[in-house]
Amino acid sequence: MYAITIPEPGGPEALVWDEVPDPVPGEGEVLVEVVASAVNRADILQRQGNYSPPPGASPYPGLECSGRIAALGPGVSGWSVGDEVCALLAGGGYAEKVAVPAGQLLPVPEGVDLKQAAALPEVACTVWSNVFMIAHLRPGENLLVHGGSSGIGTMAIQLGKAIGAKVAVTAGTKEKLDFCAELGADILVNYREQDFVAEVKQATDGAGVDVILDNMGAKYLDRNVRALAVNGRLAIIGMQGGVKGELNIGALLSKRAAISATSLRARPLAEKATIVAAVQEHVWPLIAQGHVRPVVDRELPMADAAQAQRVVEASEHIGKVLLVTG
């Protein structure tokens, strides 16, 4: 088969479409013939040499895919060769075939094209696990999503609205904010021109937001705490704004607030399977009912992964950028 390899870390040109051995599904795994994968910022970090795959994972980038089951490994039940699926991966999505633990497979949701289903697993699992399983967003609460026009952001807006929350977003252009509004976002903040703390406080009559989904890390830490309501929950899922920040413990205590920080890729298989099962139970029906949809900016041939990563690295997209094999 062919896959995107990284002979040496570097810029987008470090990604090489090359012939490699076919993966063989092990115990509890299935082999998926990949129709599409999606670009995530973790893939860019891996290309740069800053985010190695977990032990035993595929060395090729790609944290999600869609396709058809080509073979079943030992001990797999409930799936058949030919089934159309999408999957959460620890790596290997930028390839024509990938071996996937059966617990990380999802059926393609009703009403979703097989290619576009590749835009769903990583964002749905990230948002559901952080905003709902950890931060316990409830109907009537206020949710702030940083990077509202990103793949994760567009999913968070839709899921927040679907359960009855009021959603605030930050983004850097009017075009991106307008798109967030089309998805249902109630409070729109241009982070280049506005202070999100002041904006959300004004929009919530000074109360602040109950849950924040943050991709920035250190840069936003202090302001995120100030933007929280009493009993608020800050879920940190990225470090685009740095890794070390100063935390005012007094402010955190005064609000009885909580901070969580998670990553998905290196979690144990059992934890990933639990999240995937929760997504199938709670998110997939919302997709089938038309309340939530994948947001895809563009599709590029998988061999053009370098160009796809340039687009994502420059934040020129809204939603997800897909890599397709056909």
Side-chain angles (χ1 to χ4, degrees):
M1 71 169 188
Y2 277 82
I4 292 291
T5 64
I6 310 173
E8 295 290 339
E13 68 282 353
L15 301 174
V16 178
W17 184 239
D18 201 2
E19 192 166 9
V20 298
D22 285 13
V24 177
E27 181 75 27
E29 294 183 333
V30 305
L31 183 67
V32 174
E33 288 186 348
V34 176
V35 169
S37 186
V39 178
N40 291 284
R41 290 196 176 271
D43 306 334
I44 294 169
L45 292 174
Q46 181 174 340
R47 185 204 78 213
Q48 295 168 339
N50 297 322
Y51 194 16
S52 299
S58 169
Y60 316 124
L63 300 183
E64 57 195 330
C65 74
S66 62
R68 299 177 180 86
I69 294 179
L72 305 178
V76 174
S77 60
W79 298 98
S80 301
V81 171
D83 284 350
E84 293 189 343
V85 297
C86 53
L88 180 71
L89 309 173
Y94 289 22
E96 292 179 325
K97 299 176 183 178
V98 63
V100 185
Q104 292 167 218
L105 286 177
L106 288 154
V108 173
E110 181 182 337
V112 175
D113 172 83
L114 179 57
K115 285 183 183 178
Q116 297 223 336
L120 291 170
E122 192 270 343
V123 295
C125 289
T126 296
V127 173
W128 190 262
S129 63
N130 284 278
V131 175
F132 298 93
M133 297 174 74
I134 295 175
H136 302 292
L137 180 70
R138 294 181 288 268
E141 290 193 320
N142 297 308
L143 168 67
L144 170 59
V145 180
H146 290 302
S149 64
S150 67
I152 285 174
T154 54
M155 177 59 66
I157 294 167
Q158 294 179 87
L159 288 178
K161 295 302 295 181
I163 67 99
K166 186 174 184 179
V167 180
V169 298
T170 63
T173 69
K174 182 180 184 301
E175 176 193 12
K176 291 181 177 182
L177 288 171
D178 287 346
F179 190 87
C180 292
E182 290 176 17
L183 291 179
D186 305 283
I187 304 164
L188 309 174
V189 182
N190 186 324
Y191 67 80
R192 301 182 193 276
E193 301 173 356
Q194 298 169 292
D195 173 17
F196 70 80
V197 178
E199 295 298 323
V200 299
K201 287 291 186 70
Q202 181 178 354
T204 58
D205 296 324
V209 292
D210 302 287
V211 175
I212 300 175
L213 184 63
D214 174 57
N215 61 347
M216 294 300 292
K219 184 178 180 180
Y220 278 8
L221 180 59
D222 177 68
R223 281 185 286 166
N224 278 334
V225 172
R226 287 193 278 125
L228 283 175
V230 173
N231 296 314
R233 291 86 73 194
L234 167 60
I236 300 173
I237 59 170
M239 302 176 291
Q240 293 181 42
V243 299
K244 293 184 179 181
E246 186 170 304
L247 176 63
N248 184 333
I249 301 296
L252 200 66
L253 285 169
S254 70
K255 294 185 175 184
R256 301 188 295 280
I259 299 176
S260 62
T262 71
S263 64
L264 190 57
R265 187 180 196 182
R267 289 195 188 199
L269 295 182
E271 289 188 18
K272 290 182 184 178
T274 297
I275 293 169
V276 167
V279 165
Q280 185 171 347
E281 177 183 357
H282 297 286
V283 180
W284 260 219
L286 295 173
I287 297 174
Q289 294 160 15
H291 300 302
V292 177
R293 62 180 175 88
V295 176
V296 175
D297 186 279
R298 68 193 76 184
E299 300 175 4
L300 294 170
M302 194 168 288
D304 290 344
Q307 178 56 27
Q309 287 202 0
R310 288 187 185 98
V311 169
V312 173
E313 205 163 359
S315 295
E316 296 173 352
H317 62 301
I318 292 175
K320 299 301 284 275
V321 175
L322 297 188
L323 296 170
V324 299
T325 58

